[in-house]
Amino acid sequence: MRFGLWVVVGLLLLAVPGTASGAVDHPSWTGSWEAAPSGTTAGLPGAAVRNVVHLSVGGGALRVRVGNRFGVAPLRVGAVTVAVRRGSGAGAVAGSMRVVTFRGGRTVVVPAGRELLSDPVRLTVRAAADLLVTVFVPDDCGPATEHRTALQTSYVARDGAGHAGDEDDTAYTAKAVSRWYYVTGVDVRATTRGSVVALGDSLTDGTGSTPDTNHRWPDLLADRLRRHRLGVLNAGIGGNRLLRDGTGPSALARLDTDALDRAGVRFLVLFEGVNDINGTPAATDPDAYAAAYRTIVARAHARGIRVVGVTLTPYRGHPAYSAAREGVRQRVNAFIREGGVFDAVADADAALRDPADAGRLSPRYDPGDHLHFDDDGMAAVASAVGKALGRWR
């Protein structure tokens, strides 16, 4: 079975623009890691935040995206550095620390509502490497743009002046387990076949998986695709919706900024809708989902990007469940499978449901809340998406 999957994935890659093998024949920029901004949290004036991020593909240079998308005032950044992480803490591999500049300057002001991409940084990074991206903000610039559900321990030097470039971790005595601050993406320059963006909610963001293990399904998909030099970007936001703003802007509203505008995107995987079914007010008209899916696919196709639709998974036993909402889910899934809108379909519903009760998650994939997925469930989604990608020849 595994051999067969890689055969079809290989056939998929032949279809990507580039050389006859599907590879781009010269180095180019592609996304390697992403954290879609989900909102704001209290700023940390005077602190240096050492964000730990996990790359999907490597390269010979990188650039960092710093965000103030939801800020209410200009963000004055005193220093940004990047280094390869040493071990499991906040220390850097000796000799890997680099200063990040923006238009040649070591400091930068990010306007409210904006993100800025850094100058290229000469640093060779391997696939699946952990990077330390440290941001020092000297002053109180108001609320900090964050990604709330990091499921990754990062570190904070409360007295951050002069410590952004430290290779040792002595100053980084505080931990920030649940958030990434300010940093929204890392691109690498390499000979790749581009990237896959996973656009979704908490099921994509990783809720239910084991923290500090990179067991979100996009991470596991990246493991599957790494040998083919395809980056994978996680644009999931816990609490996000397809049709309406919720936690973060709706999928429709953030499609360009979090997915289509990212570097080197070749494929979009769309796994979103359950929070609309369960939200207030609930979205009960399957035609509204169909219209949103059509819009997203049309906008992606206009950029030459193929789209995989992922069926919505079961959640009987969760407090939000009702028979009426289950009926909406079934009708939405029927459209995803049979509507002919998506270039391919990953049937996560079929892969994860309980064989004895199609309205429930299989117990082997349920972390206990009957909605999200444990590590095995994340692996099952990654497998379903990998198979859907492999159908393109």
Side-chain angles (χ1 to χ4, degrees), residues 86-136:
R86 171 173 48 84
S88 58
V93 170
S96 70
M97 184 66 67
R98 301 288 189 273
V99 172
V100 178
T101 62
F102 297 81
R103 295 188 177 180
R106 295 190 174 203
T107 65
V108 68
V109 176
V110 186
R114 295 278 306 281
E115 295 178 345
L116 295 181
L117 193 61
S118 77
D119 301 330
V121 177
R122 293 179 62 87
L123 177 65
T124 298
V125 291
R126 60 176 176 79
D130 283 347
L131 291 186
L132 305 174
V133 184
T134 305
V135 181
F136 169 57

Side-chain angles (χ1 to χ4, degrees), residues 198-276:
L199 184 65
D201 50 36
S202 59
L203 303 178
T204 297
D205 207 7
T207 300
S209 66
T210 304
D212 290 321
T213 63
N214 301 304
H215 282 168
R216 312 162 193 88
W217 72 256
D219 296 317
L220 301 178
L221 180 67
D223 293 341
R224 291 169 175 267
L225 299 181
R226 188 165 296 123
R227 61 181 289 192
H228 301 288
R229 291 174 291 160
L230 269 173
V232 178
L233 304 178
N234 189 336
I237 296 177
N240 199 234
R241 300 185 191 182
L242 176 71
L243 304 171
R244 302 171 64 95
D245 293 348
T247 303
S250 71
L252 284 166
R254 66 189 184 94
L255 177 63
D256 287 343
T257 53
D258 289 348
L260 305 186
D261 289 346
R262 297 287 168 159
V265 178
R266 296 290 182 267
F267 309 103
L268 172 67
V269 181
L270 179 61
F271 187 12
E272 190 135 28
V274 72
N275 289 328
D276 298 81

